[in-house]
Amino acid sequence: MTTTPEGGEWVAICPLQRLADQTIVCVRFEAIDLLLVRHGDRIFACERACPHEQADLSWGRVADGRLFCPRHLASFDLQNGDVSVGWPSRSLRRYPVRTKDGQIWVDAAAVKSAAA
């Protein structure tokens, strides 16, 4: 884990190469299940369970900048987590992510505070 001057406790969670051939990768940080999602050249980190019915979003798909739930087809904006219109659900939790030295890093403090 690395603490940076701009804040956060960054932890390397996955080699960047794992997302070379996959769009969605499941990872675990301190018993918290997360997804890493590649859309174009960007990588996003978010919670794995759908906030609506707890479906496993790793079985979903990504299109047009949105992550689609495999159970009810609601979708979540990867930029801000907003749910598609008409679904009574909170936004998808997203976490700060960066790439460095061939690794994908997430802000561990943000993940832990969201899980609390």
Side-chain angles (χ1 to χ4, degrees), residues 48-76:
R48 183 172 174 177
C50 175
H52 179 241
E53 292 182 351
Q54 307 308 301
D56 186 349
L57 292 172
S58 71
W59 291 97
R61 66 183 176 82
V62 176
D64 299 322
R66 301 190 71 83
L67 176 60
F68 287 80
C69 178
R71 183 174 297 159
H72 50 72
L73 300 181
S75 65
F76 301 91

Side-chain angles (χ1 to χ4, degrees), residues 2-83:
T2 304
T3 302
T4 62
E6 57 275 358
E9 296 174 4
W10 294 88
V11 62
I13 199 151
C14 176
L16 183 57
Q17 186 60 35
R18 278 193 63 199
L19 279 170
D21 299 321
Q22 293 177 265
T23 303
I24 300 172
V25 171
C26 302
V27 294
R28 185 163 214 163
F29 172 71
E30 293 188 9
I32 302 166
D33 292 318
L34 306 173
L35 292 182
L36 298 175
V37 180
R38 179 179 46 83
H39 182 62
D41 293 338
R42 301 233 14 228
I43 295 172
F44 301 89
C46 64
E47 62 186 311
R48 183 172 174 177
C50 175
H52 179 241
E53 292 182 351
Q54 307 308 301
D56 186 349
L57 292 172
S58 71
W59 291 97
R61 66 183 176 82
V62 176
D64 299 322
R66 301 190 71 83
L67 176 60
F68 287 80
C69 178
R71 183 174 297 159
H72 50 72
L73 300 181
S75 65
F76 301 91
D77 188 310
L78 289 169
Q79 295 288 332
N80 58 26
D82 286 350
V83 67

Side-chain angles (χ1 to χ4, degrees), residues 83-101:
V83 67
S84 50
V85 175
W87 290 97
S89 176
R90 66 169 169 77
S91 295
L92 184 69
R93 286 187 185 114
R94 298 179 331 74
Y95 308 104
V97 63
R98 61 173 62 157
T99 58
K100 181 181 174 189
D101 301 328

